[in-house]
Amino acid sequence: MSTRQPLAVVGDVLLDRDIDGESSRLAPDAPAPVVDVADDRSRPGGAGLAAALAARSGREVVLIAALGQDPASEAVRRALRDVVRLAEIPLDGQLPQKTRVMASGRPLVRFDCGGGRPGEPGPEVREALAGARAVLVADYGRGTAAAVRDLLADVAHRVPLLWDPHPKGDPPVPGARLVTPNASEARALTSGEDRSLHACAVRGAQLAAEWQAAAVAVTLGARGALLARAGSDSPMLVPAPYRADGDPCGAGDCFAATAAAALADGALPEEAVQRAVAEAAAFVAAGGAGNRALWRTAPVERPAAARPADPFELARSVRARGGTVVATGGCFDLLHAGHVGLLESARRIGDCLIVCVNSDASVTRLKGPGRPLTRAADRTRVLAGLGSVDAVAVFEEDSPVELLRRLRPDVWVKGGDYSVDALPEAATLREWGGQALVLPYLDGRSTTALARRAARAAAPGPEVRS
């Protein structure tokens, strides 16, 4: 038995069914593909999947869900019997079932059936919530969260509560530590169709205020997640560790389960979101909810793309096809792990990454005599050789503002522990509707520290006299 305190998962359970096969012909009586079925399998979905994913680390998980006496409910009980502890709410009706028909791994059609109304929670449900270290609400808009809403409102004042919302469900109870809508859900819950990162940040802050939540993480699929707080203009973007190509079904449940488990272990929302983004990417790369060997697939490497040498032409071509231009900047005097991590994260935000580099004279003015240690031509060559960098531009001024006005990137990113408001480039980006963002930075790495260590190592020791 795990010594870690239990996590309670509350929400709507579904039965997910995948019918897999191959399709090479159309039906003779209609222009519809014929699927030769090779596999037919079912598994718990919704809150059931979230609970099973949370339990994979060995943590004790109790699932509070509405189950009936129908075959789909019995199938869920059998699948979860040895995985989580069940605290059932009676279901009047049949458990919802979602069936996907797949051909060569691609969905052809999905049909849904079933549905019912959750009844009153019993003492077992109250005890499960009272003993939980954290609570995850996986709301699919089918009434389970509403049935225990009063209990959840009380829990939110005692332990971390993460709410994964649904446009058809009720709003989160006040006091949630983290709420995790995806980008389309955030749009449905607010006004406007703008899909930019800036709009996502505004929606996240708006929803955090409306829901009285400590933070809102708007999940962005392959781009990661954007963490926002009410009244703050400093969102934190957490990119995915790599671009994962796979079945995204269940990725939101994986994200929520991982973040809730992190909160149960005492993590801050920022830390919980970083863990959740990485785990969700691994989940998708491994095949999503339909993969029998979740998390065992090796990370998918992003193939290196051919890079135009001219950064301005690159920016124009990416914008012309509707892509997102990302830029970052700095001296990059001695390239180290902190730089590499920042550049890799920045590249995953959009469709190209342009690095703005201080000229030699600019570095000397900023850093003092003896700098740069590496001349601009060499710094540019090293940066251009990284798979995460698509183009490099050198600027002579102390600030990249004029260069940015020529490039007009959609996103400007910097690494560090300061706020977006402290970035001098933020006001410039707003001139054309761009967004400035701060990314997590690898602590303990800096060019100055490396140079000092190298100087100490090269210094001769005291002369030994005989």
Side-chain angles (χ1 to χ4, degrees):
M1 179 66 67
S2 171
T3 58
R4 302 159 80 183
Q5 291 179 288
L7 172 69
V9 178
V10 181
D12 306 301
V13 173
L14 309 94
L15 184 66
D16 286 341
R17 182 185 177 197
D18 280 348
I19 301 174
D20 295 325
E22 300 292 333
S23 179
S24 59
R25 65 191 191 281
L26 296 177
D29 56 339
V34 176
V35 177
D36 295 315
V37 176
D39 193 14
D40 186 343
R41 62 186 186 275
S42 300
R43 64 185 181 277
L49 174 62
L53 293 175
R56 288 180 62 84
S57 64
R59 177 186 304 278
E60 180 186 355
V61 175
V62 55
L63 172 60
I64 300 170
L67 295 173
Q69 302 305 315
D70 57 294
S73 294
E74 289 298 332
V76 166
R77 289 189 184 96
R78 288 194 301 271
L80 295 177
R81 183 176 295 125
D82 298 324
V83 180
V84 302
R85 178 163 60 91
L86 284 171
E88 295 187 23
I89 299 172
L91 177 67
D92 181 14
Q94 295 186 336
L95 194 74
Q97 180 172 317
K98 300 190 306 182
T99 302
R100 295 191 303 172
V101 179
M102 317 273 285
S104 302
R106 296 183 179 276
L108 287 181
V109 66
R110 192 188 99 183
F111 50 92
D112 299 353
C113 61
R117 181 181 298 276
E120 290 294 324
E124 187 180 10
V125 171
R126 299 174 184 274
E127 292 171 6
L129 288 173
R133 177 62 184 84
V135 175
L136 163 61
V137 180
D139 187 7
Y140 276 74
R142 295 179 179 270
T144 302
V148 294
R149 186 172 182 85
D150 291 343
L151 298 176
L152 294 173
D154 178 65
V155 166
H157 297 294
R158 297 188 288 105
V159 299
L161 183 144
L162 184 150
W163 195 293
D164 192 10
H166 192 282
K168 294 183 179 180
D170 290 338
V173 296
R177 186 73 55 86
L178 186 63
V179 186
T180 59
N182 63 36
S184 62
E185 289 167 345
R187 286 196 301 274
L189 292 163
T190 56
S191 59
E193 288 299 320
D194 188 349
R195 297 168 184 258
S196 68
L197 289 173
H198 174 70
C200 286
V202 171
R203 290 189 186 102
Q206 176 184 336
L207 290 171
E210 180 180 327
W211 290 333
Q212 300 177 50
V216 168
V218 181
T219 57
L220 306 172
R223 292 202 290 176
L226 189 68
L227 185 68
R229 295 179 183 272
S232 173
D233 294 327
S234 303
M236 185 180 81
L237 181 68
V238 181
Y242 48 86
R243 191 173 295 277
D245 296 321
D247 186 355
C249 180
D253 296 305
C254 178
F255 181 95
T258 304
L263 293 177
D265 291 336
L268 296 173
E270 289 81 359
E271 298 169 313
V273 170
Q274 290 185 58
R275 294 186 203 176
V277 166
E279 202 65 48
F283 178 86
V284 172
N291 192 341
R292 294 187 177 94
L294 299 179
W295 291 287
R296 295 180 185 174
T297 300
V300 178
E301 296 292 336
R302 180 177 63 86
R307 296 188 295 273
D310 183 76
F312 304 100
E313 178 58 33
L314 171 64
R316 283 192 293 269
S317 65
V318 170
R319 278 196 298 269
R321 62 175 185 265
T324 299
V325 178
V326 182
T328 188
C331 298
F332 298 99
D333 199 359
L334 289 179
L335 198 66
H336 53 72
H339 291 141
V340 173
L342 171 68
L343 296 172
E344 289 176 342
S345 296
R347 178 56 178 82
R348 288 191 293 270
I349 296 172
D351 299 285
C352 74
L353 173 63
I354 300 172
V355 180
C356 304
V357 180
N358 295 73
S359 69
D360 291 344
S362 176
V363 174
T364 301
R365 290 193 298 271
L366 292 173
K367 303 294 184 179
R371 300 286 297 274
L373 302 171
T374 308
R375 63 181 184 174
D378 291 341
R379 288 183 281 134
T380 299
R381 183 175 180 182
V382 170
L383 286 166
L386 297 177
S388 57
V389 177
D390 296 283
V392 181
V394 178
F395 60 94
E396 295 292 338
E397 302 81 9
D398 293 344
S399 164
V401 164
E402 292 305 317
L403 175 58
L404 291 176
R405 288 195 172 110
R406 294 177 61 198
L407 287 171
R408 297 176 69 86
D410 301 291
V411 182
W412 170 258
V413 298
K414 292 288 284 185
D417 56 1
Y418 43 80
S419 69
V420 170
D421 295 334
L423 294 178
E425 302 85 5
T428 304
L429 266 290
R430 287 195 289 270
E431 292 175 8
W432 55 86
Q435 173 76 53
L437 294 171
V438 175
L439 298 185
Y441 195 75
L442 191 60
D443 290 336
R445 277 79 170 178
S446 75
T447 298
T448 301
L450 287 173
R452 288 172 178 168
R453 287 201 297 271
R456 287 196 297 268
E463 183 179 354
V464 178
R465 298 181 182 273
S466 57

